[in-house]
């Protein structure tokens, strides 16, 4: 069935039946003019929004609809993780062509709802609109945090250690593999073009899943905030260097990082070498890893913070007194200045 046949009201009536019961904090959910959410008096609200635009952030030919929904929620919630908050609720606004298959839209909405529940929140409403151009999926995520305890980009000082969660670069490699024709089949199997079969196939799926289904570091951000372990924090959405530059600019500091300390994904190391390129460039500049980059003044506060199953925390350098100056110490001991390059929506030439 096409969306033009079902209609907006028909879609919304069916949506009310499909969604799981909202969290206890949701007084009014889907079906009214707006959602109503209750928060304890000692908490603050964190609001963020993020959009995925077809042809810029995803292609329907490479990203299954369920993962469009999951990914849209995850990238928005990553901002809440960076602020040290908990997810409360999600609003989903979708603009789609009138001839879109309804089943595809259900899969997208189911993916968004599934991801919100898995991250501790609820899908509580949104909007459905017609568009003549590419599909747009916009998510507004609402989070909460204890009063006067929120992580910002602006708290780092010279001498603070710089830490990074997890590993970086896998998402960028995953995107390139998708562009080169690698895909996930309907049952989740990896489909690899003949031309790429000589490469490190065992790491291809890891990279692709890192791209299509990122994991926001909600638990880590919450624990950093509650323990007051981090002085500043940002999620790595556009690339390590450009997001480090943003943290430094907000905190009026510089940074020096160590090449040998950077936690590069095994997929980056393997595939970039397969393609005859430098893995470091990919790790520094490719975005959409959604790991947390944070500054720490008292490193003893990190003791016992990482729980089993959570990503490793790696000390990659420290903040310096030279405002906005970014440096990297190379393997041979030489020091180079880093240019804050990364994803830029409005660069002269961009590609999805």
């Amino acid at each position: 069935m096409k969306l033009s046949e079902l209609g907006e009201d028909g879609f919304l009536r069916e949506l009310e039946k499909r969604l799981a019961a909202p969290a206890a904090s949701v007084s009014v959910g889907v079906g009214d003019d707006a959602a109503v959410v209750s928060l304890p008096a000692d908490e603050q609200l964190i609001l963020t929004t993020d959009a995925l635009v077809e042809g810029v952030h995803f292609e329907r030919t490479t990203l299954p609809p369920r993962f469009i929904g999951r990914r849209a929620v995850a990238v928005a919630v990553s901002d809440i993780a960076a602020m040290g908050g908990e997810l409360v609720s999600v609003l989903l606004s979708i603009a789609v062509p009138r001839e879109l298959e309804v089943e595809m839209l259900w899969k997208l909405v189911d993916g968004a709802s599934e991801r919100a529940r898995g991250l501790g929140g609820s899908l509580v409403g949104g909007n459905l609109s017609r568009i003549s151009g590419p599909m747009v999926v916009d998510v507004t995520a609402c989070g909460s945090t204890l009063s006067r305890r929120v992580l910002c980009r602006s708290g780092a000082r010279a001498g603070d250690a710089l830490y990074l969660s997890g590993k970086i670069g896998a998402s960028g490699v995953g995107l390139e593999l998708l562009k080169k024709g690698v895909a996930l089949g309907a049952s989740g199997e990896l489909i690899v073009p003949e031309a790429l079969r000589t490469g490190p196939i065992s790491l291809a799926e890891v990279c692709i899943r890192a791209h299509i289904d990122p994991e926001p570091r909600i638990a880590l951000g919450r624990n950093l905030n509650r323990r007051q372990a981090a002085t500043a924090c940002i999620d790595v959405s556009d690339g390590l260097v450009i997001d480090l530059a943003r943290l430094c600019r907000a905190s009026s500091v510089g940074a020096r990082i160590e090449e040998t300390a950077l936690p590069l994904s095994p997929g980056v190391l393997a595939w970039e070498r397969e393609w005859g390129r430098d893995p470091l460039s990919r790790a520094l500049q490719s975005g959409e890893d959604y790991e947390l980059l944070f500054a720490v003044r008292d490193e003893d506060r990190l003791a016992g913070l990482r729980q089993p199953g959570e990503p490793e925390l790696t000390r990659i350098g420290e903040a310096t007194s030279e405002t906005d100056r970014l440096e990297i110490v190379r393997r041979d001991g030489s020091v180079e200045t880093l240019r804050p390059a990364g994803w830029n929506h409005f660069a002269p030439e961009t590609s999805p």
Side-chain angles (χ1 to χ4, degrees):
M1 180 185 292
K2 306 284 187 184
L3 190 54
S4 57
E5 298 172 287
L6 180 61
E8 183 178 2
D9 283 346
F11 176 83
L12 294 176
R13 283 195 299 270
E14 183 62 27
L15 179 63
E16 288 184 52
K17 303 174 188 176
R18 293 176 72 99
L19 291 182
S25 60
V26 180
S27 304
V28 180
V30 172
D32 219 306
D33 287 323
V36 180
V37 177
S38 301
L39 291 178
D42 62 345
E43 295 189 7
Q44 293 187 102
L45 192 63
I46 304 173
L47 300 173
T48 185
T49 186
D50 216 312
L52 298 188
V53 180
E54 183 182 2
V56 178
H57 303 100
F58 72 91
E59 298 287 350
R60 274 190 267 170
T61 55
T62 59
L63 191 59
R66 172 172 168 257
F67 287 101
I68 297 174
R70 286 180 61 87
R71 194 168 191 274
V73 170
V75 301
V77 174
S78 183
D79 289 331
I80 291 176
M83 301 289 284
E86 299 269 14
L87 179 63
V88 175
S89 60
V90 164
L91 297 168
L92 179 65
S93 183
I94 312 171
V96 296
R98 63 185 299 170
E99 295 306 307
L100 187 77
E101 293 286 345
V102 174
E103 185 58 31
M104 179 186 176
L105 199 53
W106 286 138
K107 290 178 180 177
L108 189 157
V109 171
D110 288 347
S113 177
E114 168 187 81
R115 200 66 168 116
R117 291 197 310 274
L119 294 169
S122 302
L123 177 58
V124 297
N127 186 61
L128 179 64
S129 300
R130 189 180 79 189
I131 194 169
S132 58
M135 180 189 299
V136 178
V137 182
D138 188 89
V139 169
T140 297
C142 307
S144 66
T145 186
L146 297 178
S147 182
R148 294 179 299 281
R149 289 189 185 179
V150 63
L151 289 175
C152 295
R153 302 176 181 183
S154 55
R157 297 293 178 265
D160 287 1
L162 296 173
Y163 276 80
L164 187 64
S165 68
K167 297 185 183 297
I168 53 174
S171 178
V173 170
L175 175 58
E176 185 157 352
L177 288 168
L178 288 171
K179 290 180 180 179
K180 291 179 180 293
V182 181
L184 294 178
S187 58
E189 75 279 10
L190 198 65
I191 301 170
V192 183
E194 191 64 37
L196 294 176
R197 291 188 180 277
T198 58
I201 300 301
S202 62
L203 293 171
E205 184 173 352
V206 174
C207 292
I208 287 173
R209 291 197 180 279
H211 179 72
I212 69 173
D213 201 19
E215 185 64 42
R217 302 304 186 187
I218 282 284
L220 174 59
R222 177 190 64 220
N223 290 336
L224 287 171
N225 191 19
R226 286 182 175 176
R227 291 193 180 199
Q228 301 181 56
T231 55
C233 188
I234 188 171
D235 70 323
V236 181
S237 57
D238 292 330
L240 176 61
V241 178
I242 197 168
D243 287 319
L244 174 60
R246 289 164 176 160
L247 185 148
C248 287
R249 188 179 308 116
S251 294
S252 298
V253 297
R256 176 175 284 194
I257 60 176
E258 305 275 344
E259 179 182 357
T260 56
L262 295 176
L264 275 59
S265 161
V268 172
L269 295 170
W271 277 102
E272 290 297 304
R273 288 168 180 166
E274 171 72 16
W275 293 325
R277 300 192 303 228
D278 177 17
L280 181 64
S281 295
R282 167 78 70 179
L284 290 176
Q285 297 183 20
S286 70
E288 303 184 313
D289 286 308
Y290 300 103
E291 297 295 348
L292 295 187
L293 170 66
F294 55 98
V296 177
R297 193 157 303 151
D298 181 359
E299 294 180 83
D300 289 341
R301 295 195 178 193
L302 296 179
L305 183 142
R306 176 176 173 266
Q307 300 300 309
E310 292 183 353
E312 293 184 5
L313 307 179
T314 303
R315 190 186 198 278
I316 63 169
E318 68 176 30
T320 66
S321 59
E322 297 181 80
T323 303
D324 286 343
R325 183 175 179 81
L326 307 181
E327 297 177 325
I328 184 169
V329 181
R330 302 302 299 258
R331 292 181 182 275
D332 62 5
S334 62
V335 179
E336 296 179 7
T337 300
L338 286 172
R339 184 174 65 89
W343 170 253
N344 178 359
H345 283 91
F346 303 105
E349 292 185 8
T350 59
S351 59

